[in-house]
Amino acid sequence: MIAFNVVRFKVKPGFEQEFVERHRSIGELMPGMRQLALVKTGDASYCLVGEWRSMGHIAAARPQMIGILDSMRHMLEDLGLGLGVTDPVSGEAVVNQRAPAPAKKKVKAKGKPKPAKKKAGKKKKKPL
């Protein structure tokens, strides 16, 4: 069953570009990760969303995710309320909807070209 992890961050002033670039440079995704998105949710606020093949893949990748976080910890502000620098959650998708595939455009069959129609000219009046 598809699973997701979501992590909320607040970036310290002066570190936003480095924080975004660090996520861009992650390169190859971790085993079992289907996709990753870093979403800017406000001033210096970000949310990372990871889509995974299963919760087992998330659990197996936690040491690697913590290593990545440790390399960026100096860029992050404490979120308060005893959270530390991240607010992570994860779980299996209980509803997963996708948009239908776009309809294919109909392509007209190419056959013999139709002859051009002659333009109707003005009829000349005959003198009386």
Side-chain angles (χ1 to χ4, degrees), residues 7-9 11 16-24 26 35-41 45-50 72 76:
V7 184
R8 189 169 58 94
F9 308 93
V11 180
E16 278 193 77
Q17 186 172 352
E18 184 180 348
F19 180 77
V20 171
E21 286 304 318
R22 175 68 175 99
H23 283 87
R24 272 196 188 113
I26 286 174
Q35 66 176 328
L36 171 86
L38 182 64
V39 181
K40 185 171 173 99
T41 58
S45 294
Y46 293 85
C47 187
L48 180 136
V49 180
M72 292 186 264
L76 304 174

Side-chain angles (χ1 to χ4, degrees), residues 1-2 7 11 18 23 31 33 38-39 41 63-64 68 71 75 79-80 85-86 91 100 102-103 105 109-110 112-113:
M1 180 171 261
I2 295 173
V7 184
V11 180
E18 184 180 348
H23 283 87
M33 184 178 245
L38 182 64
V39 181
T41 58
Q64 190 176 354
I68 293 169
S71 74
M75 299 182 225
L79 296 172
V85 296
T86 64
K105 291 183 180 179
K110 291 184 179 181
K112 292 182 181 178

Side-chain angles (χ1 to χ4, degrees), residues 89-106:
V89 293
S90 60
E92 292 182 336
V94 294
V95 175
N96 190 21
Q97 297 182 356
R98 295 196 184 268
K104 292 183 181 180
K105 291 183 180 179
K106 292 183 181 178

